[in-house]
């Protein structure tokens, strides 16, 4: 540790809101409830949420994570992740007579519905998002021949559309607001008739966590964001912290990934966590910091969140019995599972 002046009080600014959003909470509880209700194994297509610890914890309880629907044995239960899936995935599940539980976040479902509606009205859709992200793949699957991916402002120049007067933009829910608007502004320059979606697609939780980290970033020498590398909203929080004036910012899954060298000459540490991060991981980081003299924790609250989503309706039925009987979907052939 570098020499620190006596006046430089070591403190932690803890962001609120942080951590679990309603969609993640719902998805994780869905897997836990399915395991309770139907017993292990329950299969989950892709990571239920983008967090290492959550996935490991659910695996210990009997969840089996697979990349593709075809890896799930016929007649088994499969849960679709919070990021949503393309319609073709539902078809694959029906063909394999899988009992599917859809844990897609309702805010992602809203974007899917908008994509379907605009495609049916013969619009070309410009989807702002990151190539290869599961949410983007799922949304694009709703109308692949109508949706063009725009992965940042630099993609705008190369776009070709059928009719510049029938264009709408939608976006991945976990982007940063600033990043999205920069792309939208660029799109509007090129396509003045571009229609905006009826409501903002950036999810309330992504937005709130970014506003909170902006407040921290302005006052922190170092910002520690708890989250996984494949979590889009967590990665954005590091970027937003740096843009807001933090001298340094890092993403860690666990406290033991923090490098003591980061604390060199640091009096104020900002701490926050992505929307798929359980609070136990944040507590681990606070304990780690406290052991190194950062015991004074001040909560910086920028919003209050009270939103909750009800659990998927499939959890209210005996899916396993239906799967065995081959009655979970209208198209299921009956017979032995």
């Amino acid at each position: 540790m570098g020499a620190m002046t006596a006046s430089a009080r070591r403190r932690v600014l803890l962001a609120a809101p942080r951590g679990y959003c309603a969609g993640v909470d719902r998805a994780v509880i869905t897997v836990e409830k399915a395991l309770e209700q139907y017993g292990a194994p329950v299969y989950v297509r892709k990571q239920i949420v983008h967090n290492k610890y959550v996935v490991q914890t659910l695996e210990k309880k009997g969840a089996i994570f697979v990349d593709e629907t075809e890896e799930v044995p016929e007649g088994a239960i499969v849960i679709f992740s919070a990021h949503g899936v393309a319609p073709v995935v539902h078809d694959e599940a029906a063909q394999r007579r899988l009992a599917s539980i859809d844990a897609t976040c309702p805010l992602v479902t809203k974007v899917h519905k908008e994509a379907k509606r605009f495609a049916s009205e013969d619009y070309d859709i410009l989807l702002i998002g990151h190539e290869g992200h599961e949410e983007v793949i799922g949304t694009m699957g709703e109308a692949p021949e109508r949706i063009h991916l725009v992965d940042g402002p630099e993609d705008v120049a190369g776009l070709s559309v059928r009719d510049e007067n029938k264009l709408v933009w939608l976006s991945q829910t976990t982007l940063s607001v600033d990043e999205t608007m920069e792309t939208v502004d660029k799109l509007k320059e090129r396509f003045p008739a571009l229609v905006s979606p009826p409501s903002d697609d950036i999810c309330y939780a992504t937005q709130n966590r970014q506003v909170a980290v902006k407040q921290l970033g302005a006052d922190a020498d170092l910002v520690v964001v708890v989250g996984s590398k494949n979590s889009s909203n967590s990665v954005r929080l590091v970027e937003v912290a740096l843009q807001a004036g933090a001298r340094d910012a890092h993403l860690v899954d666990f406290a033991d990934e923090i490098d003591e060298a980061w604390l060199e000459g640091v009096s104020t540490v900002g701490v926050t966590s992505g929307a798929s991060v359980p609070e136990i991981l944040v507590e681990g980081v606070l304990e780690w910091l406290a052991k190194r003299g950062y015991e004074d924790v001040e909560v910086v609250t920028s919003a209050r969140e009270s939103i909750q989503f009800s659990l998927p309706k499939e959890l209210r039925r005996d899916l396993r019995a239906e799967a065995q009987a081959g009655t979970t979907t209208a198209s299921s052939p009956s017979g032995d599972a």
Side-chain angles (χ1 to χ4, degrees):
M1 285 286 312
M4 207 176 269
T5 58
S7 61
R9 183 168 66 95
R10 289 184 194 176
R11 61 178 184 152
V12 175
L13 298 178
L14 182 60
R18 64 181 175 277
Y20 271 13
C21 60
V24 164
D25 200 34
R26 171 183 187 264
V28 175
I29 292 170
T30 295
V31 180
E32 290 170 344
K33 284 253 192 273
L35 284 164
E36 275 170 35
Q37 204 160 317
Y38 308 119
V42 163
Y43 291 82
V44 183
R45 186 185 177 279
K46 306 287 186 195
Q47 291 192 356
I48 185 71
V49 297
H50 287 158
N51 184 268
K52 231 188 227 176
Y53 174 86
V54 171
V55 169
Q56 288 165 356
T57 307
L58 292 171
E59 278 175 336
K60 286 184 191 132
K61 292 181 179 177
I64 296 173
F65 290 86
V66 298
D67 267 334
E68 295 306 335
T69 321
E70 65 201 28
E71 298 171 59
V72 182
E74 290 218 359
I77 286 176
V78 65
I79 297 174
F80 297 136
S81 83
H83 309 103
V85 296
V88 63
V89 175
H90 288 282
D91 297 342
E92 289 165 4
Q95 281 159 13
R96 293 187 68 75
R97 294 221 317 260
L98 304 178
S100 58
I101 300 174
D102 191 352
T104 302
C105 171
L107 300 177
V108 174
T109 302
K110 174 178 87 73
V111 179
H112 279 233
K113 284 181 174 157
E114 286 173 353
K116 276 199 292 208
R117 179 165 78 80
F118 283 111
S120 72
E121 292 170 8
D122 207 34
Y123 277 81
D124 271 16
I125 298 160
L126 306 178
L127 178 65
I128 301 167
H130 294 310
E131 190 165 5
H133 190 279
E134 278 156 52
E135 186 191 322
V136 165
I137 294 167
T139 303
M140 289 188 78
E142 292 290 357
E145 68 296 340
R146 289 279 172 272
I147 300 181
H148 310 265
L149 182 62
V150 186
D151 194 343
E154 62 286 346
D155 271 7
V156 174
L159 286 169
S160 67
V161 297
R162 292 173 310 145
D163 180 353
E164 295 193 1
N165 294 310
K166 288 219 79 169
L167 275 184
V168 63
W169 69 269
L170 300 175
S171 90
Q172 180 182 332
T173 60
T174 52
L175 299 182
S176 89
V177 183
D178 299 342
E179 177 188 26
T180 303
M181 290 328 289
E182 191 188 335
T183 305
V184 170
D185 291 344
K186 211 59 184 191
L187 285 169
K188 284 185 170 164
E189 269 171 39
R190 200 180 148 199
F191 305 115
L194 180 69
V195 175
S196 294
S199 59
D200 186 0
D201 289 342
I202 302 278
C203 103
Y204 77 92
T206 297
Q207 205 153 348
N208 288 349
R209 277 150 196 67
Q210 287 171 12
V211 169
V213 92
K214 273 183 186 171
Q215 287 193 327
L216 293 191
D219 297 322
D221 304 306
L222 164 71
V223 173
V224 175
V225 178
V226 186
S228 291
K229 306 271 183 296
N230 64 337
S231 161
S232 184
N233 80 87
S234 302
V235 172
R236 296 288 89 69
L237 289 174
V238 175
E239 294 167 5
V240 171
L242 290 168
Q243 283 161 1
R247 206 174 65 203
D248 194 13
H250 295 274
L251 184 64
V252 299
D253 259 300
F254 305 103
D256 61 13
E257 292 175 15
I258 302 173
D259 184 340
E260 300 240 6
W262 298 345
L263 298 176
E264 194 78 37
V266 164
S267 60
T268 301
V269 181
V271 175
T272 189
S273 56
S276 42
V277 177
E279 189 61 10
I280 189 169
L281 299 182
V282 176
E283 286 162 11
V285 167
L286 294 177
E287 280 166 28
W288 189 97
L289 287 167
K291 282 182 190 147
R292 285 152 185 85
Y294 298 84
E295 290 170 293
D296 181 3
V297 177
E298 183 189 325
V299 177
V300 178
T301 305
S302 57
R304 305 245 173 236
E305 289 178 354
S306 56
I307 193 163
Q308 277 184 314
F309 296 131
S310 57
L311 290 174
K313 61 185 182 309
E314 298 92 347
L315 281 173
R316 301 194 274 279
R317 304 174 359 208
D318 188 353
L319 279 188
R320 209 175 271 291
E322 291 177 23
Q324 300 302 323
T327 56
T328 43
T329 57
S331 59
S332 295
S334 56
D336 300 324

